[in-house]
Amino acid sequence: MKVQLTKQERMGESGHSLLRLLQNESLPLIDLFIREAIQNSLDATLPNQKETIIDVGVKEFSNEKLSKQLEGITDILVSRYGNVNPKAIYLSDKNTSGLTGAIRDDENHDIQQSKIYKLIYGISMNQTQSGAGGSWGLGKTSFFRLGNGIVIYYTRVKLQNGKYEERLAASLIEESNKSDSLLKNNSRGIAWWGWKTDNDNYSDTYPITDQTEIHEILDIFNIEPYSEDETGTTVIIPYINEKRIESHDMKHEDNNEVNSNWWEQDLESRIEIAIQKWYGVRVFNKDYQKYYGSYLNVSLNGKGLYPSTFPTFFQKLRELYSYALRAKDEPNLGSETDNFNIKNIELNRMALEKDSNKIVGDLAYCTLDKEELRIVPPDNEPHPLKFLGYSRDEDIKELNSNIIAYTRKPAMIIDYDVNGTWSHNLPRLENKIVLGIFVPRSEQVLHEDFQNEIMYLDDYLRKSENADHASWQDVIVNNKKTTIVSRIRGNVSKVLNEEYGDRVEESKNSKASMLGRKLGNLILPSTKKGRTGKPAVEGGGNTGAGNARNRKIYFEILSTQIIEDSTMLVNANLSLNQGTASVIDIDINMGTRVYSYHQWVKDMNLNYPFEIIDTKIQTVNETTINKSLIDLDMDNLDVVQSAFSNPNRIEIVNKDDEKVDITLSIKVKVNDGTINPVFQVKEVSHND
């Protein structure tokens, strides 16, 4: 295939900046890929199909054969990989439309509406199909992070004349400033392969359509081409970098125990759990088929994945999801059924159209103990939190977490909220988890004031998602502030507190008794909830030592305030010298001793009394930013909240060549107002 290189030009994106567009460091790379790739397949499902068929897996291939296909980098691929057989990950779908649309911008078609153009050649182009997720191009950056930056797209489409056409193209996005970049002497780090009309390295390439040439490339990966009346898309990611995948996943884990779970032992197992974690509720789900369309028929290396083989935790979540779907037709479902509860979530004002029933969705939930989750002998299944990224033994010693998942019409789990805002103020039950899932009634029509811009609830929720689909955040509609998402969260929390509120006093008494046994004669601080004093700051690393001008880190708390019941807002300044990496931890001040998050959980066997629920960067070098971490995209600053390993740690890295001054606000959920927080700030090592 011929290569197309990108020239350096004004306002031109670089591979480095594109790879940073999907700035989600808290999810494993395989999870990001599975979430995005299956979402694309589901969005492309043909009308009236009962199932969307997807096969995903791992192949070995000949570097010698593939390198010959990629003009311009053949020699470097041969030099780097030699005669070894690297691994490739593929994902192939059927009963889908394939990458339809014009393949050239001179065909008198609207190239902006071409699916193949959007996915392979475009970036940041919004999805227009109702119910589809995110933006074409942003999420796909997760593909390029799994290997050396090369991604191959193969598709078969049905043309308007009734004939079928196969198409194949390859693209590359890489960080050109890295020593292992493939494109030498090219500062953009972006390229495509296909056919072209001339030999200029910078002229446009187009997907190849010659079947013989396409099948020759597919044979390298032992992938069968589409045939007969089949249409669909296959994404192939060669040269998988397993070390990068492992190091990314462990970057924010304090214990650095690589491959501590069975599904982290190989790529196939990582993929298997990722599918179950994010799409398990739609796999062979006939209830989904009844209400919304095709269920998901997914296989791993050609072998089907069936719900009966899922870990019990994912089976229970799938059952809850089905109950929530059926609630609209069976209003009394759940009251006497398998200990599952189903409650309508209503918003009475400025959400749905005035004459609607005001129901925005349904919450299905239950409590599960060790036996019900089969995490005791002889089954010994993993603790639910292990599937969600928690790896330290002290995090998962007991069953005492509230896990609330939420999803929308495509049935991808958006997030698992663990002891967070979806279960605000809900006590943690002894030796049980509260497991719930919120399922919106996607077809509900929005309030009349919003309909000029957005008609349906599912489209509002879609708009509230970022490129990685990792959370919902309220957005402005028709120049009006909306609070649909925040009110849904609040009502879900209210329902759960009403259900389990009678256990609050029991939880408090148990906690007080354990504190007495653990702390002996230690006198607790007298601070009461609602009158929290200014949290202390402890210096770590270079924070408080030496002349101020020589400090690499300077941190100062400006103010604290209680903004709502049990929520504290902390405003602070942080200065970092060039190239400095820092962490901000919320630890516990017990008068004679300061406890870190992990030490507290280990020594006290108690839930942690503080949790960071939002961090917002207000200014950087006096430039107004005013963005939460999920929306932050800055080349010179990396900011991550390490929610999996430590929900009370913020990591900030100054990647600039100069000192940076930051003002930030940290919103902290206070679960016990009798205990004082202390902010620990220190320098840590940083590996590019």
Side-chain angles (χ1 to χ4, degrees):
M1 291 186 288
K2 297 292 184 179
V3 67
Q4 173 192 343
L5 302 177
T6 50
K7 296 180 180 180
Q8 186 65 43
E9 58 187 7
R10 295 176 179 177
M11 303 292 288
E13 290 276 13
S14 68
H16 171 75
S17 61
L18 290 178
L19 291 173
R20 288 174 55 84
L21 284 173
L22 190 63
Q23 192 67 20
N24 189 323
E25 297 295 334
S26 63
L27 291 180
L29 286 179
I30 292 295
D31 288 37
L32 288 171
F33 165 71
I34 288 297
R35 283 165 62 95
E36 175 66 19
I38 292 183
Q39 174 97 55
N40 288 348
S41 297
L42 295 174
D43 290 346
T45 302
L46 293 167
N48 303 317
Q49 295 292 328
K50 72 173 185 178
E51 60 182 6
T52 303
I53 302 173
I54 293 177
D55 181 37
V56 57
V58 181
K59 302 275 192 179
E60 288 190 351
F61 66 95
S62 166
N63 172 56
E64 181 183 5
K65 291 181 179 179
L66 181 60
S67 62
K68 292 178 180 178
Q69 296 287 341
L70 299 172
E71 180 188 71
I73 60 172
T74 300
D75 292 342
I76 194 170
L77 289 174
V78 171
S79 173
R80 181 170 301 172
Y81 299 100
N83 294 322
V84 302
N85 291 334
K87 292 181 180 179
I89 290 177
Y90 73 93
L91 186 145
S92 181
D93 61 48
K94 294 180 181 179
N95 290 351
T96 59
S97 64
L99 297 178
T100 57
I103 62 175
R104 295 177 57 166
D105 54 10
D106 59 355
E107 293 183 331
N108 298 319
H109 296 292
D110 185 359
I111 199 70
Q112 301 298 314
Q113 299 304 313
S114 169
K115 287 185 178 180
I116 193 166
Y117 181 85
K118 289 179 178 180
L119 183 60
I120 301 178
Y121 306 101
I123 199 74
S124 304
M125 301 173 71
N126 288 335
Q127 286 265 29
T128 56
Q129 176 185 338
S130 179
S135 301
W136 288 95
L138 290 181
K140 76 179 181 189
T141 59
S142 61
F143 300 177
F144 298 92
R145 299 166 70 182
L146 289 175
N148 60 8
I150 298 172
V151 179
I152 300 170
Y153 303 91
Y154 162 61
T155 188
R156 189 171 189 252
V157 300
K158 188 174 184 179
L159 304 176
Q160 291 183 352
N161 61 12
K163 295 182 178 180
Y164 292 90
E165 180 178 80
E166 294 183 54
R167 302 166 169 184
L168 186 145
S171 60
L172 168 70
I173 297 179
E174 65 174 355
E175 297 197 44
S176 58
N177 59 338
K178 296 287 188 179
S179 60
D180 60 351
S181 63
L182 296 174
L183 299 177
K184 302 303 180 183
N185 303 316
N186 185 284
S187 60
R188 290 283 297 279
I190 303 171
W192 292 273
W193 285 267
W195 70 272
K196 58 169 54 179
T197 57
D198 57 51
N199 292 322
D200 184 348
N201 281 342
Y202 295 100
S203 62
D204 289 346
T205 59
Y206 308 101
I208 59 176
T209 56
D210 180 84
Q211 286 191 11
T212 301
E213 187 176 355
I214 290 174
H215 293 180
E216 181 181 344
I217 295 173
L218 294 179
D219 284 343
I220 296 173
F221 301 98
N222 194 27
I223 290 176
E224 291 292 325
Y226 296 105
S227 61
E228 298 181 350
D229 61 349
E230 291 178 340
T231 57
T233 300
T234 299
V235 177
I236 306 169
I237 305 174
Y239 304 104
I240 295 300
N241 190 331
E242 294 186 73
K243 289 185 178 179
R244 179 187 297 163
I245 291 170
E246 291 175 0
S247 63
H248 173 276
D249 294 357
M250 302 307 299
K251 181 177 180 181
H252 301 294
E253 298 289 350
D254 289 342
N255 62 351
N256 293 320
E257 294 179 5
V258 180
N259 298 338
S260 59
N261 300 306
W262 66 260
W263 58 90
E264 295 169 332
Q265 302 299 317
D266 55 71
L267 289 171
E268 290 89 345
S269 298
R270 287 177 183 267
I271 292 169
E272 179 182 354
I273 290 300
I275 292 170
Q276 296 173 24
K277 185 193 305 184
W278 303 114
Y279 289 99
V281 299
R282 187 164 169 175
V283 175
F284 289 107
N285 193 321
K286 297 295 182 67
D287 289 311
Y288 185 92
Q289 183 189 48
K290 174 182 177 181
Y291 289 104
Y292 287 126
S294 66
Y295 58 69
L296 178 58
N297 178 350
V298 63
S299 57
L300 180 61
N301 286 328
K303 183 178 180 180
L305 294 180
Y306 300 101
S308 60
T309 66
F310 290 1
T312 303
F313 173 67
F314 295 128
Q315 290 188 32
K316 295 295 185 182
L317 188 69
R318 185 177 179 275
E319 292 176 30
L320 287 173
Y321 177 79
S322 287
Y323 282 131
L325 284 180
R326 291 158 50 191
K328 64 182 71 177
D329 292 338
E330 304 175 54
N332 297 320
L333 182 68
S335 57
E336 300 293 336
T337 307
D338 297 332
N339 196 33
F340 291 141
N341 301 277
I342 292 89
K343 293 291 176 65
N344 302 141
I345 302 299
E346 300 182 13
L347 299 184
N348 292 318
R349 57 180 180 80
M350 289 298 292
L352 304 180
E353 59 182 349
K354 294 176 182 176
D355 59 350
S356 72
N357 58 14
K358 309 303 181 186
I359 299 176
V360 292
D362 300 280
L363 173 69
Y365 59 97
C366 66
T367 60
L368 297 167
D369 59 25
K370 293 179 180 180
E371 287 73 22
E372 291 168 314
L373 287 164
R374 297 179 182 173
I375 64 176
V376 294
D379 299 295
N380 293 316
E381 292 190 19
H383 191 291
L385 291 185
K386 283 198 171 185
F387 293 120
L388 306 184
Y390 295 82
S391 59
R392 297 179 66 92
D393 289 340
E394 52 263 42
D395 290 334
I396 58 176
K397 187 173 183 179
E398 298 294 341
L399 280 180
N400 62 349
S401 293
N402 307 316
I403 304 173
I404 309 301
Y406 53 100
T407 183
R408 58 178 185 84
K409 187 176 178 180
M412 178 183 76
I413 302 296
I414 302 298
D415 191 22
Y416 291 87
D417 185 75
V418 180
N419 305 320
T421 55
W422 288 77
S423 57
H424 183 63
N425 284 336
L426 181 65
R428 303 187 199 181
L429 306 181
E430 293 291 334
N431 298 317
K432 289 180 180 289
I433 66 166
V434 175
L435 178 63
I437 184 167
F438 171 76
V439 181
R441 296 196 179 183
S442 300
E443 71 285 354
Q444 289 282 51
V445 178
L446 291 184
H447 190 275
E448 287 77 359
D449 286 0
F450 305 139
Q451 292 178 13
N452 286 341
E453 184 175 337
I454 302 177
M455 181 62 69
Y456 298 104
L457 175 61
D458 199 71
D459 291 329
Y460 174 85
L461 296 174
R462 173 171 68 92
K463 186 174 182 179
S464 79
E465 296 173 9
N466 287 313
D468 57 5
H469 316 291
S471 66
W472 291 339
Q473 300 292 333
D474 280 310
V475 295
I476 301 295
V477 181
N478 277 1
N479 296 317
K480 295 180 182 294
K481 182 180 180 181
T482 58
T483 57
I484 294 175
V485 168
S486 59
R487 285 188 287 153
I488 288 174
R489 282 198 300 258
N491 283 7
V492 166
S493 175
K494 180 181 178 181
V495 166
L496 294 173
N497 274 277
E498 289 175 350
E499 178 73 27
Y500 301 109
D502 59 343
R503 308 186 195 185
V504 173
E505 198 61 37
E506 175 187 345
S507 175
K508 286 183 177 179
N509 291 338
S510 173
K511 181 177 183 179
S513 175
M514 186 168 290
L515 268 175
R517 294 195 302 271
K518 293 286 186 180
L519 302 180
N521 295 325
L522 179 61
I523 300 175
L524 296 178
S526 59
T527 306
K528 296 181 179 179
K529 190 175 293 185
R531 298 182 58 84
T532 304
K534 187 173 183 178
V537 180
E538 292 289 340
N542 296 298
T543 306
N547 187 285
R549 289 179 295 180
N550 297 325
R551 295 177 187 168
K552 292 185 178 181
I553 302 174
Y554 180 81
F555 184 80
E556 178 186 14
I557 291 179
L558 302 176
S559 65
T560 62
Q561 63 182 120
I562 301 298
I563 58 174
E564 57 186 1
D565 185 34
S566 302
T567 303
M568 177 175 62
L569 185 67
V570 179
N571 297 301
N573 276 343
L574 175 68
S575 295
L576 295 177
N577 280 3
Q578 61 269 27
T580 301
S582 67
V583 294
I584 303 172
D585 291 331
I586 302 182
D587 295 340
I588 292 176
N589 180 9
M590 296 303 294
T592 60
R593 181 176 177 183
V594 172
Y595 283 83
S596 68
Y597 170 81
H598 293 297
Q599 198 65 43
W600 174 268
V601 177
K602 178 181 178 180
D603 289 355
M604 299 301 181
N605 195 25
L606 294 172
N607 295 326
Y608 206 67
F610 309 111
E611 181 180 355
I612 298 175
I613 57 178
D614 186 42
T615 300
K616 182 175 290 186
I617 302 299
Q618 302 289 5
T619 66
V620 175
N621 292 336
E622 298 185 351
T623 299
T624 300
I625 304 297
N626 196 29
K627 287 186 177 181
S628 294
L629 301 192
I630 194 169
D631 299 316
L632 193 66
D633 182 17
M634 301 184 67
D635 290 336
N636 65 332
L637 201 66
D638 277 348
V639 188
V640 176
Q641 182 179 331
S642 306
F644 281 174
S645 62
N646 181 349
N648 296 284
R649 167 167 288 185
I650 303 166
E651 302 182 13
I652 304 179
V653 181
N654 177 16
K655 302 174 70 175
D656 210 338
D657 295 331
E658 298 179 355
K659 177 182 176 182
V660 65
D661 293 308
I662 307 164
T663 62
L664 65 159
S665 61
I666 306 170
K667 190 181 292 185
V668 182
K669 180 181 178 183
V670 181
N671 297 317
D672 190 337
T674 67
I675 299 177
N676 281 339
V678 56
F679 282 69
Q680 299 268 30
V681 186
K682 61 183 178 181
E683 180 187 6
V684 294
S685 61
H686 172 57
N687 297 320
D688 293 332

